[in-house]
């Protein structure tokens, strides 16, 4: 204890006296300027967010006078399936690319036809989404079967026969045929 007392009693280092503590910062009495600045900054942030959200959800309006006829989802699916058949993917034995394109075409059709984000969902999640969309059980089963078979080729390195691979596109075409009737 005596050593501690001696250290405190010696005083300041290098012969300097003790200094007083710094006084507190002075804050202007009127915070109005700061409050106005905060309101302006928050207003700019809110306006920027509102502008972004409005632009993000804005659709391009096409007048009927322009004569733009967008193809129906089943027409697009038929064109893509025909292009896949015309390609030489089966002849080259490129089963993975062939099945990837068939599955992608079918998922795009489901997305456009039923407004389900089929390209972003797993096959299992897609089945659940189609059930919620009240699609017929027969169609859900066929779609599930085609997509599961395509997944086996894409992810499990299953190599089907050419006739089995050709059946995938026939099944995809059947799905499009069966579900196109109620397209508005």
């Amino acid at each position: 204890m005596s050593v501690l007392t001696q250290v405190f009693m010696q005083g300041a280092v290098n012969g300097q006296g003790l200094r007083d503590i710094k006084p507190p910062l002075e804050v202007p009495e009127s915070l109005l300027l700061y409050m106005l600045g905060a309101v302006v900054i928050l207003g700019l942030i809110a306006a920027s967010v509102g502008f972004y959200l409005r632009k993000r959800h804005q659709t391009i309006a096409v007048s009927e006078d322009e004569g733009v006829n967008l193809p129906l989802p089943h027409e697009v699916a038929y064109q893509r399936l025909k292009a896949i058949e015309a390609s030489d993917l089966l002849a080259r034995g490129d089963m993975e690319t062939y099945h990837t394109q068939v599955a992608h075409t079918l998922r795009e059709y489901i997305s456009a036809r039923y407004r389900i984000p089929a390209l972003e969902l797993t096959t299992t999640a897609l089945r659940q989404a189609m059930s919620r969309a009240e699609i017929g059980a027969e169609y859900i089963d066929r779609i599930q079967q085609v997509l599961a078979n395509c997944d086996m080729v894409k992810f499990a390195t299953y190599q089907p026969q050419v006739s089995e691979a050709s059946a995938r596109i026939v099944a995809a075409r059947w799905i499009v045929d069966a579900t196109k009737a109620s397209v508005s």
Side-chain angles (χ1 to χ4, degrees), residues 26-27 29 37 54 84 90 97 102 105 107-108 118 139-140 143 149 160-161 175-176:
E26 292 190 28
V27 178
E29 291 180 20
R54 194 169 354 124
I84 294 168
L90 284 181
T97 304
V102 170
T105 300
R107 285 175 178 272
E108 280 183 336
Y139 306 129
I140 293 174
I143 292 168
N149 288 334
Q161 299 293 325
I175 292 166
V176 174

Side-chain angles (χ1 to χ4, degrees), residues 12-183:
V13 180
N14 296 335
Q16 296 178 351
L18 294 176
R19 296 180 297 193
D20 198 9
I21 59 172
K22 290 185 179 180
L25 293 176
E26 292 190 28
V27 178
E29 291 180 20
S30 171
L31 295 176
L32 182 63
L33 184 60
Y34 291 110
M35 291 172 54
L36 285 175
V39 168
V40 168
I41 290 172
L42 288 175
L44 288 173
I45 291 172
S48 298
V49 168
F51 179 75
Y52 170 76
L53 291 176
R54 194 169 354 124
K55 278 294 193 186
R56 192 173 122 207
H57 293 295
Q58 188 178 30
T59 57
I60 299 172
V62 178
S63 67
E64 293 180 19
D65 297 337
E66 292 180 22
V68 176
N69 292 329
L70 296 176
L72 295 173
H74 65 271
E75 293 172 349
V76 173
Y78 286 142
Q79 290 172 354
R80 292 196 177 146
L81 291 172
K82 188 175 183 179
I84 294 168
E85 278 184 317
S87 69
D88 64 340
L89 292 173
L90 284 181
R92 289 185 300 168
D94 192 357
M95 293 295 178
E96 186 175 341
T97 304
Y98 177 83
H99 283 80
T100 300
Q101 289 180 3
V102 170
H104 187 78
T105 300
L106 190 56
R107 285 175 178 272
E108 280 183 336
Y109 170 73
I110 293 167
S111 291
R113 168 67 178 84
Y114 295 107
R115 308 268 191 259
I116 297 173
L119 293 171
E120 301 167 7
L121 300 174
T122 64
T123 303
T124 306
L126 177 59
R127 181 182 183 92
Q128 294 169 352
M130 289 187 301
S131 295
R132 285 190 301 269
E134 298 180 3
I135 300 172
E138 178 185 5
Y139 306 129
I140 293 174
D141 290 340
R142 287 291 290 266
I143 292 168
Q144 175 76 22
Q145 182 182 17
V146 171
L147 292 178
N149 288 334
C150 288
D151 287 348
M152 283 178 40
V153 175
K154 293 183 328 188
F155 302 119
T157 64
Y158 173 68
Q159 289 295 315
Q161 299 293 325
V162 174
S163 61
E164 186 181 348
S166 298
R168 305 277 188 276
I169 213 158
V170 171
R173 187 171 283 115
W174 180 89
I175 292 166
V176 174
D177 284 338
T179 59
K180 76 174 181 178
S182 60
V183 175

